[in-house]
Amino acid sequence: LVSFLAASLDFSLCFPPLSNCAMFCCCSTEEEAAMVEVDAHTAQDKQPMEIRKGGSTFIMTINKHTGQAGLEFSKADTGVLTVSGIVESGPAADWNKSCEPDKDVRLYDRVVSVNGKAGTAMDLLTAMKADPHPEIQLCIERPEIKEVHVAKEGRELGLVLFVSTANRLHSGLVISMVKEDALVRGVKPHDRIVEVNGRTLPPSELLESVRGDDLTMKICCYRT
């Protein structure tokens, strides 16, 4: 059983909606859906997050090896399918070696469709495995990465965050709700705080960091 912790920055605790819980349980069968869960630390993991203007989408074509795409997916937000790592000897890594510039799949990219069909995270995982053809096409969304400066001055940040108890380094803090009086504008549910004050940390440590007063955060912002 996989557990979830949702923390609001006014330090009250809340719990994810039942629909999210059910989705998370479905994802517990990720091995059957070719979802890889290992701590693969590549050179890409150690590079600082660059600020990127405007999100984009592109098509990634890969040949599955033994039914797997060679991608790791984050459990921090079960509503969407977000890349948390690339297996070094897998099909996705092969794609990255030969693709056009800026069409290499990266951390925090999101799979939005498989062979032209969109769906829930579990739908997409199932489609990646179930398609009988070895070659599949994934539509990948690359987020805009915003740098946001906040001086709280004793006020609440105004964000409700999901924190994965798996506490993996690149899980980040997933925004669940933006309150009306939030100090951060231009963000929405499923966006993800990935760096605070120049540091990429496991979720529990990121949560402690955002309790501070003067914050510089990098946030992955998606179209949907």
Side-chain angles (χ1 to χ4, degrees), residues 19-95:
S19 59
N20 280 356
C21 290
M23 183 62 184
F24 206 91
C25 292
C26 289
C27 286
S28 66
T29 60
E30 67 267 6
E31 290 183 1
E32 298 178 5
M35 186 173 176
V36 183
E37 278 295 331
V38 295
D39 282 321
H41 297 293
T42 64
Q44 174 179 277
D45 295 337
K46 299 176 183 178
Q47 295 176 359
M49 294 294 296
E50 77 278 17
I51 299 172
R52 290 200 297 260
K53 298 293 185 183
S56 62
T57 59
F58 61 91
I59 299 298
M60 172 187 186
T61 304
I62 57 176
N63 288 290
K64 297 183 291 183
H65 294 177
T66 63
Q68 296 191 0
L71 293 169
E72 300 172 7
F73 297 109
S74 171
K75 288 183 177 180
D77 185 356
T78 58
V80 291
L81 202 55
T82 304
V83 175
S84 63
I86 299 96
V87 179
E88 292 185 0
S89 59
D94 293 342
W95 163 269

Side-chain angles (χ1 to χ4, degrees), residues 151-220:
K152 290 164 66 176
E153 299 176 345
R155 297 170 294 175
E156 296 176 8
L157 193 56
L159 301 176
V160 179
L161 305 172
F162 281 169
V163 184
S164 171
T165 55
N167 213 35
R168 295 186 59 184
L169 177 61
H170 293 287
S171 295
L173 299 174
V174 178
I175 296 173
S176 169
M177 184 176 71
V178 182
K179 298 181 180 181
E180 290 185 3
D181 58 350
L183 301 182
V184 181
R185 297 296 180 184
V187 297
K188 57 190 176 302
H190 300 296
D191 289 348
R192 187 178 300 229
I193 300 170
V194 295
E195 185 180 294
V196 178
N197 293 337
R199 302 181 69 191
T200 301
L201 300 165
S204 60
E205 296 179 47
L206 276 182
L207 187 61
E208 286 301 315
S209 296
V210 297
R211 295 174 191 265
D213 196 55
D214 293 308
L215 305 175
T216 298
M217 300 179 290
K218 287 184 181 176
I219 304 176
C220 289

Side-chain angles (χ1 to χ4, degrees), residues 82-183:
T82 304
V83 175
S84 63
I86 299 96
V87 179
E88 292 185 0
S89 59
D94 293 342
W95 163 269
N96 280 356
K97 293 174 184 175
S98 58
C99 67
E100 298 176 19
D102 294 326
K103 291 190 176 181
D104 55 317
V105 65
R106 305 176 190 176
L107 291 174
Y108 308 115
D109 284 354
R110 182 181 288 174
V111 178
V112 295
S113 70
V114 177
N115 291 334
K117 295 182 179 180
T120 66
M122 198 63 206
D123 290 339
L124 296 172
L125 284 170
T126 301
M128 289 169 66
K129 180 184 178 183
D131 194 293
H133 301 96
E135 185 175 275
I136 59 173
Q137 288 190 334
L138 308 180
C139 181
I140 305 294
E141 179 185 357
R142 177 147 300 151
E144 177 180 1
I145 299 179
K146 297 180 180 179
E147 186 170 82
V148 178
H149 304 277
V150 176
K152 290 164 66 176
E153 299 176 345
R155 297 170 294 175
E156 296 176 8
L157 193 56
L159 301 176
V160 179
L161 305 172
F162 281 169
V163 184
S164 171
T165 55
N167 213 35
R168 295 186 59 184
L169 177 61
H170 293 287
S171 295
L173 299 174
V174 178
I175 296 173
S176 169
M177 184 176 71
V178 182
K179 298 181 180 181
E180 290 185 3
D181 58 350
L183 301 182

